[in-house]
Amino acid sequence: MKFFIDTANIEEIKKANSIGLLDGVTTNPTLIAKEIERTKRKPADILAEICSIVKGPVSGEVIALDYENMVKEAMELHKIASNIAVKIPMTEDGLRAVRTLSEKDIMTNVTLIFTPVQAVLAAKAGATFTSPFIGRLDDISQEGINIVEDIHTIFENYGYPTEIIVASVRNPVHVLQSLLIGADIATIPYSVIMQLIKHPLTESGIKRFLDDYKKAQENL
Ligand code: G3P
């Protein structure tokens, strides 16, 4: 499974990249807004810097909701770098835009997917990626990971090449479940990446090793 980071925060991206964990990045308007707030930089400059750090796909989302402006914005995003994947919301106009962009060989990521059939529609429109939001389904008392399992089965049944990006990942269990299902990608917030690294027994184990070593040195 590829590990993407779900952030527009340049510092977090650099840190995750330094531990070799970055196959790609996803952003959305909320995450870009946070980085604008933090750095006072323009969205295109933020995305350009992310693309210079990370070789893999970097999702940048369109703001427009109508087909013409979605495609126009997508072309602008595509000019930023060749590894930009244009993120498009799951709507009728969105699917038309995905169709047009896929004919131009521009990578697309259909976002805000909440049912397996929405994911199929994205695949049929030619999306490169589809992003089921599992945490937001958990929030409304529906087991979010189940739609990832269904999408994975359906894509295997029919050989759709669209890759599944498990999104709205909120905890390490979501990452484990994605791995067990065989999802192509999980896009993970920096805080959850840090949780993946840590284990209380690792920490107490390190402490015990160092204490034992120190004691032996004192008795030399
Ligand atoms: O990748 C989608 C993600 O940014 C949404 O996450 O936690 O706001 O549901 P969340």
Side-chain angles (χ1 to χ4, degrees):
M1 186 173 79
K2 283 171 266 185
F3 280 55
F4 286 10
I5 191 169
D6 193 31
T7 187
N9 182 305
I10 302 285
E11 305 312 318
E12 290 180 349
I13 291 167
K14 283 183 181 164
K15 281 193 253 176
N17 200 32
S18 73
I19 55 172
L21 206 66
L22 228 46
D23 298 310
V25 177
T26 52
T27 70
N28 62 37
T30 304
L31 296 172
I32 290 284
K34 278 189 197 159
E35 191 62 357
I36 293 173
E37 194 61 36
R38 196 179 76 86
T39 61
K40 310 289 173 224
R41 297 174 75 196
K42 292 188 180 134
D45 295 340
I46 296 167
L47 285 170
E49 182 164 4
I50 297 173
C51 290
S52 74
I53 300 167
V54 182
K55 287 194 174 56
V58 174
S59 289
E61 188 159 340
V62 297
I63 304 299
L65 292 177
D66 64 289
Y67 167 79
E68 276 81 16
N69 284 308
M70 274 182 180
V71 173
K72 207 165 129 198
E73 262 188 64
M75 299 313 291
E76 290 302 313
L77 286 167
H78 179 64
K79 271 191 222 151
I80 294 174
S82 57
N83 55 332
I84 284 273
V86 180
K87 208 171 178 190
I88 305 231
M90 175 69 208
T91 62
E92 183 184 347
D93 280 40
L95 288 176
R96 283 177 63 207
V98 169
R99 181 75 189 263
T100 300
L101 296 168
S102 82
E103 280 162 5
K104 295 181 194 295
D105 281 331
I106 292 176
M107 283 193 289
T108 53
N109 174 3
V110 180
T111 188
L112 292 162
I113 295 287
F114 293 99
T115 72
V117 178
Q118 284 183 318
V120 171
L121 300 185
K124 288 188 77 73
T128 320
F129 305 104
T130 184
S131 293
F133 274 37
I134 64 170
R136 292 194 191 184
L137 282 169
D138 290 354
D139 289 343
I140 58 158
S141 307
Q142 190 182 326
E143 190 76 68
I145 198 69
N146 290 349
I147 68 159
V148 175
E149 194 154 22
D150 288 349
I151 296 167
H152 186 255
T153 303
I154 295 166
F155 282 13
E156 291 270 304
N157 286 349
Y158 294 98
Y160 292 126
T162 303
E163 289 191 90
I164 304 169
I165 303 182
V166 183
S168 187
V169 165
R170 302 274 179 77
N171 55 56
V173 176
H174 281 159
V175 178
L176 175 62
Q177 290 170 322
S178 305
L179 286 159
L180 289 170
I181 289 169
D184 302 288
I185 301 153
T187 188
I188 312 169
Y190 182 75
S191 56
V192 177
I193 294 177
M194 290 302 111
Q195 286 179 295
L196 294 176
I197 294 172
K198 291 187 179 138
H199 191 285
L201 289 179
T202 306
E203 275 156 40
S204 61
I206 290 170
K207 185 174 175 322
R208 199 193 300 174
F209 284 152
L210 292 183
D211 288 349
D212 290 347
Y213 191 77
K214 222 167 121 194
K215 223 179 286 163
Q217 294 263 310
E218 283 161 8
N219 294 334
L220 266 183

